[in-house]
């Protein structure tokens, strides 16, 4: 299988651990772990304080870091 000619591949976390060793360079999604942790803590506290209330819908940002492992659609 050839990347990205046969298959597009996207990773998660944007870690640079493999960035210099993997070819083609991996496209990845980067997100803020600190903010995600804060949102999760807020949801847990909300659920503990109001167990019968529905959980709110939340959205946290992320960023696609396009490199060489995806083909143009």
């Amino acid at each position: 299988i050839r990347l990205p000619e046969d298959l597009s591949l996207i990773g998660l976390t944007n870690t640079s651990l493999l960035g210099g060793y993997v070819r083609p360079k991996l496209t990845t999604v980067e997100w803020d772990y600190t903010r995600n942790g804060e949102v999760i803590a807020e949801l847990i506290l909300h659920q503990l304080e109001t167990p019968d209330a529905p959980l709110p819908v939340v959205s946290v940002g992320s960023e696609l870091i396009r490199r060489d492992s995806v083909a143009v659609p």
Side-chain angles (χ1 to χ4, degrees), residues 39-57:
V39 169
I40 291 168
E42 291 168 7
L43 289 172
I44 291 170
L45 290 174
H46 177 271
Q47 187 68 29
L48 291 172
E49 293 169 357
T50 55
D52 294 331
L55 285 174
V57 175

